[in-house]
Amino acid sequence: MKQPFRVPTSTATACVPANGAVAEASDDLIHLEPTYRLHLTVYLTLTEVAMHRYVVTFIFLLCLPATLLSAEPIRVFVTVLPQQTFVEQIGGEHVQVEALVNAGSNPHAYEPTPGQMARLAQADLYFRIGLPIEAAWMERIRAVNPTLRVVDLSNGIARRRLEAHDHDHEDQHAHEHEHQTEAEIEPDPHIWMSPLLVIRLTEQIALTLSEWDPAHAADYQARLMQTSAELNALDAEIRAQLDVLQHRRLMVYHPAWGYFADAYGLTQIPIESEGKEPGPRYLAALIKQARRDRVRVILAQPQLSTKAAQQVAREIGGRVAVIDTLSADYIGSLRHLVQVLTAVDSSQLDTGR
C-alpha cells in the first residue's frame, strides 16, 4: 500500500494560518479544515512533482558518459586553409580548427601572430603537410607547447619534385640548374591538389582523431567514408572533363599544380622557380615557348605577384587566370580550375589556334 507523503511539522506549520484553523494532527496525517486542506494538498503535490523532476535530472546526468559532460572540442592547428577544411570535414563538431596561414597570405613569407602563438600554446594537435613555413616555425611552436602532438600528413606519400624552368629547347638556361642534384631540388608540398591524395590525408586525420578521442571514433570513420565518396566522385568528374583536352601543357606562375597535372595527364610549365622571378633572358624564352605551345592562359595565385605572368600574357595575346590553391573551398577551387582549362581549350579549337 502506497504510504502518504509526509511533511515535516515545520513545513506544515508554515503553511497553516495561525488563527486556530488546525483541527487536529496525528503522526501520519495533518488534518485541516476544508479550505486549508485544499491549499496544503496543492502545495504538497507541486513539491513532490518538483522533487521528482530534480531526482530524474540528477540520475540522467550521472548516467551520461564523461566525454559528453566535458564536451570540449579537440583544439587543432593546421598550416593552410585546405587542411582546415579536411579536418573539419572529418572532425565535425568534435574539433576546433585554425589555419596558421591566414586567408590571402603567402605561406612562403608568413609569420604567426602573437595571438596565434598563444592559441598554439593551448592546442592539442598540429597537422603539418610539408610546407617550408613548418620547418621554420616548428621549433618555436614546440617551445610554447611541449606536449603538442604533431602529425605529418605527407608521411607515406611519394613526393614529386618541383619543376625547374622548362628549358628543353633553351639550352642557354641549363646552367641555372646544372649543379643541382635530384635530392637538392625542393620537394613539392602541394599534395592537396590531387583529390585522390586528399583521401589519404583524410584517412590519416581520421586515424589521429580516433586515437585522441576514441569515444567518437565511429563518427570520424563515418565522416571519412562520406568524404572519400565525395572526393572519388570529384576525381571522376574532373577526369571526364579533362580527358578530352587537346592542349595539355599549362603555363603557371608558381608551380603549385604539379600533383593535379600528374593526376590528369597534364604538364605544368613554371614561370617562377624556387621563389625567384625570371630574368629578362629567360622571360623572352618563356614567351617563345608559350607561342610554340599555343598557350592562351597562365595560371596564377592571388597570394603572389602576377607581374611576370601578365607580361607573358600580353606578349602572346593570352590572359592570366587567378585561381586560389589555398582556398577553404577546396572542391569549388578545383572546379574553377577545370572550367578555365576546358574553356580555353574550346576557344582554341574554335579559332583553330
Side-chain angles (χ1 to χ4, degrees), residues 13-36:
T13 304
C15 296
V16 178
N19 60 0
V22 176
E24 61 179 325
S26 70
D27 292 335
D28 297 324
L29 296 172
I30 301 173
H31 301 286
L32 303 176
E33 292 180 357
T35 301
Y36 299 107

Side-chain angles (χ1 to χ4, degrees), residues 69-113:
L69 291 175
S70 57
E72 266 197 37
I74 306 170
R75 294 162 295 188
V76 181
F77 256 85
V78 296
T79 306
V80 289
L81 287 171
Q83 289 175 275
Q84 179 174 333
T85 298
F86 307 149
V87 176
E88 289 175 342
Q89 191 74 21
I90 301 300
E93 68 274 17
H94 307 307
V95 295
Q96 178 182 315
V97 193
E98 181 175 345
L100 190 66
V101 180
N102 294 325
S105 299
N106 179 358
H108 300 281
Y110 187 77
E111 293 191 4
T113 66

Side-chain angles (χ1 to χ4, degrees), residues 29-332:
L29 296 172
I30 301 173
H31 301 286
L32 303 176
E33 292 180 357
T35 301
Y36 299 107
R37 186 181 299 126
L38 176 62
H39 292 170
L40 183 58
T41 301
V42 171
Y43 168 81
L44 293 177
T45 301
L46 292 175
T47 301
E48 185 173 7
V49 168
M51 290 185 67
H52 177 73
R53 286 177 178 170
Y54 288 140
V55 170
V56 170
T57 301
F58 179 71
I59 294 173
F60 174 75
L61 292 174
L62 285 179
C63 293
L64 282 176
T67 52
L68 293 182
L69 291 175
S70 57
E72 266 197 37
I74 306 170
R75 294 162 295 188
V76 181
F77 256 85
V78 296
T79 306
V80 289
L81 287 171
Q83 289 175 275
Q84 179 174 333
T85 298
F86 307 149
V87 176
E88 289 175 342
Q89 191 74 21
I90 301 300
E93 68 274 17
H94 307 307
V95 295
Q96 178 182 315
V97 193
E98 181 175 345
L100 190 66
V101 180
N102 294 325
S105 299
N106 179 358
H108 300 281
Y110 187 77
E111 293 191 4
T113 66
Q116 286 180 312
M117 294 301 290
R119 291 188 294 278
L120 277 162
Q122 303 300 319
D124 301 309
L125 298 172
Y126 191 112
F127 288 111
R128 60 188 299 173
I129 202 165
L131 285 162
I133 185 178
E134 296 163 349
W137 281 89
M138 196 51 62
E139 185 176 341
R140 278 170 280 190
I141 290 171
R142 288 186 182 277
V144 300
N145 188 346
T147 63
L148 179 68
R149 181 177 177 185
V150 179
V151 177
D152 191 341
L153 296 178
S154 68
N155 281 345
I157 293 178
R159 302 282 292 279
R160 68 191 303 280
R161 298 291 171 177
L162 283 171
E163 289 89 346
H165 293 308
D166 185 3
H167 43 67
D168 291 342
H169 302 281
E170 281 72 46
D171 293 337
Q172 66 269 31
H173 303 290
H175 70 278
E176 295 179 10
H177 300 280
E178 65 184 358
H179 298 299
Q180 279 191 309
T181 65
E182 180 72 12
E184 290 172 331
I185 300 174
E186 182 183 345
D188 188 345
H190 308 91
I191 55 180
W192 64 89
M193 293 305 296
S194 164
L196 295 184
L197 288 182
V198 171
I199 292 177
R200 295 179 61 181
L201 303 185
T202 54
E203 288 171 349
Q204 182 60 55
I205 291 168
L207 175 62
T208 303
L209 293 179
S210 297
E211 291 173 350
W212 188 271
D213 178 24
H216 296 114
D219 290 351
Y220 303 138
Q221 291 304 312
R223 288 176 174 273
L224 173 62
M225 291 181 63
Q226 179 182 350
T227 301
S228 297
E230 291 173 357
L231 290 168
N232 275 311
L234 176 65
D235 172 70
E237 173 189 324
I238 294 173
R239 199 171 298 280
Q241 294 183 66
L242 296 187
D243 276 352
V244 297
L245 281 188
Q246 297 297 310
H247 300 85
R248 310 192 69 82
R249 290 170 72 83
L250 317 175
M251 185 161 282
V252 304
Y253 176 72
H254 177 70
W257 288 273
Y259 292 98
F260 181 89
D262 289 351
Y264 302 110
L266 308 174
T267 301
Q268 71 171 357
I269 306 166
I271 294 175
E272 170 242 65
S273 180
E274 300 171 357
K276 299 173 183 177
E277 291 272 359
R281 186 177 173 186
Y282 182 68
L283 194 59
L286 277 173
I287 293 169
K288 180 181 177 181
Q289 183 176 2
R291 287 172 177 157
R292 184 187 66 236
D293 292 337
R294 295 188 294 171
V295 171
R296 287 294 171 266
V297 66
I298 300 170
L299 304 181
Q301 298 163 272
Q303 296 85 4
L304 303 174
S305 169
T306 62
K307 182 179 177 181
Q310 294 287 1
Q311 186 174 348
V312 174
R314 282 194 302 270
E315 293 293 333
I316 65 174
R319 68 184 180 91
V320 173
V322 177
I323 298 174
D324 192 357
T325 59
L326 298 176
S327 171
D329 181 9
Y330 175 72
I331 290 178

